[in-house]
């Protein structure tokens, strides 16, 4: 079940990310570094040192396998050239800790979230020749923006805030009429509709500033990239009451499901089509730091979560049923688990942990017993 351990960081491992070509894993840590690993040989290939404080997030470019982004308490996002082990570009538009950075699945955009209460979008379609350009600031909220994720089809962006608000944004490139009006619907635990947004009637796209900010009175954003006009619309708002929402994840391929995890130890599974809560998964005894979907060849759609309660839980995504629990004091890994991610083929799971290590799981070995039980 346990496939190995990667050691080298000098502080807790906050986040991990597999490259889409399966060959490498990136990890970031409270020691201020990003490390790149060969998972098969279980050795460190590079140590990227450029941040001056804790590094909270790292993510591989989906198409250019030598590019990696990371975000830090030093208020910056760095885009790295991994082969040369150097910082290509340093993005310093945030005014506080940057908790999360993600490339879009097509590689054209980068999103970052911060304690300065904003979400920023950067155009990356000319990387690595040109520095990413800030094209939109989506939110100015009452609390820190903790995390953001793009849907696999690049049509939705989810942003989560410590005040419990989860927002879904629709994104389109030259696909919508400027005069089309779309209503905002806010959905809470009770499914209560909210007031519609009011959009500008007349906008001349080519006269837009490169940096567009979504004002309080309108949730429509139009911004220009080098290749298209990006139209961002608030699709819906989901509320998670009395809990700090830590992370979010879309289901693979179709993006019909969204999972969010919280400080109260619960995981919520939402329908993005119906804009409502489907399941609330209870079982963890402490903060759930990370959740991710896995499409397993025999078990179907599985949701995996890790927590400060020192456990990893596998859930059947459609029903909310617990499939398997790993961890605790009786297991090999007995520490807080901050991050879980899967290789793109789903065979391996990497867990970022409080003990300064990355712990590797063999997914097939872990879940093979469940197939015998008829799940």
């Amino acid at each position: 079940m346990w496939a190995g351990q990667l050691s080298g960081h000098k502080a807790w491992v906050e986040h991990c990310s597999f490259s889409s070509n399966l060959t490498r894993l990136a990890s970031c840590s409270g020691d201020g570094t990003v490390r790149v690993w060969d998972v098969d040989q279980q050795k460190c290939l590079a140590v990227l040192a450029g941040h001056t404080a804790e590094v909270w997030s790292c993510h591989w470019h989906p198409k250019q396998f030598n590019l990696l982004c990371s975000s830090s308490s030093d208020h910056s996002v760095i885009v790295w050239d991994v082969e040369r082990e150097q910082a290509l570009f340093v993005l310093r538009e945030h005014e506080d800790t940057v908790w999360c950075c993600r490339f879009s699945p097509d590689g054209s955009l980068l999103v970052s979230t911060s304690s300065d209460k904003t979400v920023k979008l950067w155009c990356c379609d000319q990387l690595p020749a040109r520095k990413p350009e800030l094209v939109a600031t989506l939110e100015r909220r009452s609390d820190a923006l903790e995390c953001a994720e793009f849907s696999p089809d690049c049509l939705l962006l989810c942003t989560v805030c410590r005040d419990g608000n989860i927002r879904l944004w629709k994104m389109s490139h030259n696909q919508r009429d400027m005069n089309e009006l779309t209503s905002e619907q806010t959905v809470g635990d009770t499914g209560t509709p909210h007031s519609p947004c009011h959009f500008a009637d007349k906008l001349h796209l080519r006269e837009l500033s490169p940096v567009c900010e979504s004002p309080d009175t309108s949730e429509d954003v139009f911004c220009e990239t080098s290749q298209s006009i990006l139209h961002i619309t608030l699709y819906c708002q989901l509320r998670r009451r009395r809990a700090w929402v830590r992370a979010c994840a879309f289901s693979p391929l179709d993006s019909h499901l969204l999972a969010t995890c919280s400080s109260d130890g619960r995981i919520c599974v939402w329908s993005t089509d119906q804009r409502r809560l489907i399941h609330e998964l209870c079982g963890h005894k402490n903060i759930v730091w990370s959740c991710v979907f896995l499409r397993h060849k025999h078990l179907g759609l599985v949701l995996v979560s890790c927590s400060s309660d020192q456990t990893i839980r596998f859930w059947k995504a459609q029903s909310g049923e617990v499939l398997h629990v790993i961890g605790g004091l009786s297991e090999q890994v007995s520490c807080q688990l901050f991050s879980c991610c899967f290789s793109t083929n789903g065979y391996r799971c990497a867990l970022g942990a409080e003990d300064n290590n990355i712990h590797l799981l063999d997914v097939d070995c872990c879940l093979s017993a469940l197939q015998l039980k008829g799940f």
Side-chain angles (χ1 to χ4, degrees):
M1 180 173 64
W2 294 105
Q5 175 178 293
L6 305 177
S7 302
H9 281 295
K10 307 303 181 185
W12 75 93
V13 179
E14 181 65 26
H15 191 251
C16 301
S17 174
F18 276 102
S19 63
S20 55
N21 66 352
L22 304 178
T23 61
R24 292 176 292 183
L25 175 77
S27 61
C28 60
S29 167
D31 64 11
T33 68
V34 179
R35 286 179 176 255
V36 178
W37 308 85
D38 182 312
V39 177
D40 291 332
Q41 298 185 37
Q42 299 190 13
K43 69 176 184 179
C44 183
L45 300 176
V47 179
L48 307 178
H51 287 293
T52 58
E54 301 93 340
V55 186
W56 299 104
S57 178
C58 58
H59 192 239
W60 290 96
H61 193 282
K63 296 180 179 179
Q64 302 191 54
F65 303 136
N66 65 315
L67 298 185
L68 179 73
C69 66
S70 61
S71 63
S72 169
S73 291
D74 65 10
H75 306 181
S76 75
V77 176
I78 295 181
V79 178
W80 301 91
D81 183 323
V82 173
E83 300 300 330
R84 297 181 180 179
E85 297 187 33
Q86 67 181 24
L88 274 182
F89 303 108
V90 182
L91 313 180
R92 299 189 184 278
E93 295 293 333
H94 283 291
E95 299 173 359
D96 208 332
T97 296
V98 187
W99 295 108
C100 176
C101 59
R102 298 285 189 274
F103 286 111
S104 60
D106 63 3
S108 66
L109 295 169
L110 184 150
V111 65
S112 56
T113 65
S114 171
S115 282
D116 67 8
K117 305 175 185 178
T118 68
V119 175
K120 295 185 183 294
L121 274 174
W122 312 78
C123 176
C124 298
D125 56 11
Q126 296 191 49
L127 274 176
R130 291 184 59 182
K131 182 178 181 178
E133 179 185 8
L134 179 63
V135 293
T137 298
L138 294 185
E139 304 204 44
R140 292 197 179 277
R141 307 295 292 164
S142 60
D143 209 337
L145 273 298
E146 190 69 30
C147 183
E149 292 285 352
F150 291 97
S151 63
D153 55 14
C154 296
L155 297 179
L156 291 175
L157 172 68
C158 179
T159 59
V160 301
C161 183
R162 286 187 186 175
D163 64 10
N165 281 303
I166 304 150
R167 283 186 159 193
L168 283 174
W169 305 81
K170 275 189 175 180
M171 300 191 300
S172 60
H173 297 261
N174 292 332
Q175 292 178 355
R176 296 183 64 177
D177 189 335
M178 287 293 299
N179 296 316
E180 179 185 352
L181 297 181
T182 305
S183 294
E184 170 197 354
Q185 180 181 1
T186 301
V187 181
D189 294 340
T190 57
T192 306
H194 192 54
S195 60
C197 334
H198 301 283
F199 305 148
D201 292 328
K202 295 180 180 179
L203 291 174
H204 300 287
L205 288 179
R206 296 296 170 185
E207 296 176 2
L208 285 176
S209 164
V211 179
C212 304
E213 191 165 301
S214 175
D216 294 338
T217 56
S218 172
E219 301 293 356
D220 233 24
V221 178
F222 295 89
C223 47
E224 234 178 321
T225 72
S226 63
Q227 298 180 0
S228 65
I229 305 298
L230 177 64
H231 181 190
I232 307 166
T233 309
L234 183 62
Y235 173 57
C236 70
Q237 181 167 292
L238 311 168
R239 290 202 180 112
R240 189 66 185 85
R241 296 190 179 99
R242 299 180 300 277
W244 159 24
V245 182
R246 177 62 186 90
C248 57
F250 283 98
S251 58
L253 301 180
D254 55 23
S255 308
H256 291 327
L257 297 179
L258 172 74
T260 59
C261 55
S262 308
S263 59
D264 60 2
R266 300 185 181 193
I267 301 144
C268 290
V269 180
W270 312 82
S271 166
T272 58
D273 297 328
Q274 301 174 23
R275 294 178 276 190
R276 68 178 182 88
L277 180 67
I278 300 175
H279 301 299
E280 190 171 55
L281 311 181
C282 304
H284 284 294
K285 307 301 182 185
N286 208 325
I287 297 172
V288 182
W289 293 102
S290 179
C291 58
V292 62
F293 285 97
L294 167 69
R295 188 170 292 280
H296 191 266
K297 58 186 176 183
H298 298 299
L299 300 173
L301 192 60
V302 176
L303 181 62
V304 184
S305 57
C306 65
S307 167
S308 285
D309 68 6
Q310 306 180 8
T311 67
I312 312 112
R313 287 179 176 260
F314 293 79
W315 315 77
K316 203 163 184 60
Q318 302 292 350
S319 66
E321 180 183 6
V322 178
L323 292 172
H324 195 36
V325 181
I326 302 172
L329 295 176
S330 62
E331 295 280 354
Q332 174 180 328
V333 178
S334 56
C335 60
Q336 295 186 76
L337 300 171
F338 297 131
S339 169
C340 58
C341 70
F342 288 91
S343 56
T344 52
N345 60 13
Y347 293 156
R348 188 154 296 175
C349 175
L351 299 156
E354 180 190 24
D355 65 0
N356 306 353
N357 297 312
I358 301 115
H359 300 276
L360 302 174
L361 273 176
D362 184 311
V363 177
D364 272 354
C365 179
C366 179
L367 297 181
S368 59
L370 299 178
Q371 300 168 32
L372 299 176
K373 294 179 181 178
F375 282 102

